[in-house]
Amino acid sequence: MSLSHFFKRLSLASSYGLSTLSRRFIHPPLALLFTNIYPRRQPLIPSRTSLPFSHCYSSVTEPQPSTLISPYLCVRIRCKKDIADMFSEALMCFGASSTTLDEDDNADTSNEIYIESIFPESEDVDVCISRAADSVGLKEIPSYEVKTGEQYDWIKKTQESFDPVEVTEGLWIVPEWKTPPDVQATNIILNPGLAFGTGEHPTTRLCLLLLQRLIKGGEHFLDYGTGSGILAIAALKFGASSSVGIDIDPLAITSARQNAALNNIGPEKLQLRLVSGNTSSPSINEHKYVQKKHETVVESEQEKYDVIIANILLNPLLELADDIVSHAKPGAAIGLSGILSEQLPYIIDRYSPLLDDISVSEIDDWACLSGRKKRILTGR
């Protein structure tokens, strides 16, 4: 399975942005990237994967206008109520742009429920549903029907749904097309149409609040799975001397660059790197220079960063723990999110040998774990 199915901030542009369906909407906590699979039966851990920094692409694919105004597939799936949440999240990981649980249909008399989902027109729905069903342990593929929707300007509709978000006193996330409510506050200007990170999802809030506490001034910050670039941009506004944001999605890198420009942040302060999840990629110890348009980027050395935040998914957090921690200086602060509170035991067990002073913060059912890299790692 490609690592791209697991990162949390998957591109909304390529998947038509946020759905406007009513009822109970599950979107990439992309409002994305990168969503979580609930490990209520067992944690879903992918096969061996790696995210080496040294394997970067030399160019970034720009989103085409045709992907922003495009037909889509509407898929209506019938499944058992007790697995509906988990199956909905799995659908998101395997290609759905959005899912909605229709709780109005025989809610009190049936043990089944409908999932209304939207897929890009180019997506192989049969394969996506099959893989999603397999990933959550279903022995039979649920019944479903597929209809083709009209062409629709998803980005425009998405923009209409966003208002400025006050993360905490003096910190606002402001959509590009809105006026900041408080011009004296720290305002992060964002166009969330292309990637995850709008400030509305609890994991983004948790990471922003953690980052605000950690940045004292002059730090080197790594945003591991940058999406919209919101955390990398916020780190600089809080006083970090430099930020690096990495992602496996070209559209996320494009979105982050655009958002950096909206905040008058140039490449000398914020470097954005497209990396590969290819398991055959070279080692991160091989320092390579990659030409990206008009900038030359030296790939990340180990033990370079003072603060690292990875707001991605449970499975990559588990699988990539050694790689995430390797880029932190001894004693550096590391934040991990994109996880449900019920998933914390898996993260604590995986990171306890790597981090000291572990603490947890929570909003609703979502959690953020933080700690400091051990100065001497056991088993090394």
Side-chain angles (χ1 to χ4, degrees):
M1 183 188 309
S2 169
L3 185 63
S4 63
H5 288 303
F6 289 96
F7 262 92
K8 184 177 180 181
R9 301 181 183 106
L10 299 173
S11 169
L12 283 180
S14 61
S15 57
Y16 311 107
L18 296 179
S19 169
T20 58
L21 296 175
S22 59
R23 313 180 191 96
R24 188 172 165 194
F25 179 48
I26 299 176
H27 49 77
L30 281 143
L32 143 226
L33 261 144
F34 300 83
T35 49
N36 291 292
I37 296 175
Y38 296 82
R40 288 173 180 165
R41 289 173 171 77
Q42 61 181 11
L44 304 175
I45 302 176
S47 57
R48 298 295 302 175
T49 54
S50 62
L51 188 62
F53 284 80
S54 60
H55 192 67
C56 288
Y57 298 97
S58 59
S59 64
V60 172
T61 303
E62 300 290 338
Q64 300 300 314
S66 61
T67 66
L68 305 183
I69 304 177
S70 182
Y72 61 96
L73 301 176
C74 183
V75 184
R76 184 173 171 85
I77 308 167
R78 188 176 183 87
C79 71
K80 300 289 185 182
K81 283 184 178 179
D82 59 352
I83 57 94
D85 281 339
M86 183 163 56
F87 188 49
S88 293
E89 298 282 0
L91 289 168
M92 295 292 300
C93 289
F94 288 97
S97 304
S98 68
T99 60
T100 303
L101 300 183
D102 188 350
E103 297 180 298
D104 296 330
D105 290 348
N106 302 317
D108 298 326
T109 60
S110 174
N111 65 346
E112 293 186 324
I113 193 171
Y114 284 102
I115 301 174
E116 304 278 0
S117 59
I118 289 176
F119 287 81
E121 186 186 33
S122 60
E123 199 71 59
D124 189 329
V125 172
D126 295 337
V127 171
C128 293
I129 292 178
S130 176
R131 289 177 176 173
D134 183 64
S135 73
V136 298
L138 293 182
K139 295 180 180 180
E140 296 182 358
I141 298 175
S143 61
Y144 60 92
E145 59 181 16
V146 182
K147 295 181 180 180
T148 301
E150 300 282 333
Q151 287 195 343
Y152 198 76
D153 190 340
W154 289 98
I155 296 300
K156 180 180 179 181
K157 196 64 182 178
T158 297
Q159 290 180 347
E160 294 174 356
S161 69
F162 285 113
D163 288 311
V165 175
E166 186 176 24
V167 178
T168 188
E169 185 176 358
L171 175 60
W172 287 82
I173 310 301
V174 183
E176 176 188 5
W177 50 90
K178 298 283 188 175
T179 301
D182 181 1
V183 295
Q184 302 301 320
T186 298
N187 291 301
I188 300 173
I189 311 302
L190 206 66
N191 187 327
L194 296 180
F196 168 83
T198 65
E200 290 189 315
H201 194 268
T203 60
T204 308
R205 286 175 174 264
L206 287 165
C207 290
L208 286 168
L209 293 171
L210 174 64
L211 196 56
Q212 191 177 44
R213 295 194 302 270
L214 293 176
I215 299 296
K216 307 299 182 183
E219 293 86 354
H220 297 290
F221 173 67
L222 174 62
D223 185 4
Y224 199 100
T226 194
S228 68
I230 186 172
L231 298 181
I233 292 168
L236 293 171
K237 295 214 171 195
F238 293 155
S241 64
S242 66
S243 280
V244 172
I246 66 163
D247 211 294
I248 60 173
D249 188 348
L251 287 171
I253 297 298
T254 299
S255 177
R257 282 194 176 132
Q258 293 172 349
N259 287 324
L262 290 175
N263 290 272
N264 299 312
I265 295 173
E268 72 283 354
K269 297 288 289 184
L270 173 53
Q271 295 184 16
L272 295 163
R273 303 173 187 172
L274 182 65
V275 298
S276 172
N278 191 334
T279 56
S280 63
S281 302
S283 166
I284 55 177
N285 293 319
E286 300 176 21
H287 305 313
K288 294 187 177 182
Y289 289 81
V290 180
Q291 187 68 32
K292 292 184 179 180
K293 296 185 178 179
H294 303 296
E295 59 177 324
T296 300
V297 178
V298 60
E299 296 311 309
S300 292
E301 303 88 358
Q302 290 188 351
E303 300 192 345
K304 175 179 179 179
Y305 297 96
D306 303 293
V307 179
I308 297 175
I309 291 184
N311 182 22
I312 46 179
L313 275 176
L314 171 67
N315 291 320
L317 285 175
L318 296 174
E319 184 67 25
L320 302 172
D322 291 331
D323 188 62
I324 292 170
V325 174
S326 73
H327 298 288
K329 296 176 181 178
I334 296 176
L336 309 165
S337 194
I339 53 175
L340 292 162
S341 298
E342 66 188 60
Q343 296 171 335
L344 275 169
Y346 302 108
I347 296 295
I348 292 173
D349 181 67
R350 181 67 179 90
Y351 282 86
S352 290
L354 307 175
L355 303 179
D356 285 325
D357 304 324
I358 289 176
S359 62
V360 173
S361 55
E362 298 178 74
I363 296 178
D364 298 330
D365 295 325
W366 299 89
C368 177
L369 179 145
S370 61
R372 295 198 172 268
K373 180 179 179 178
K374 290 187 176 182
R375 297 188 179 274
I376 300 178
L377 295 179
T378 57
R380 296 295 177 101

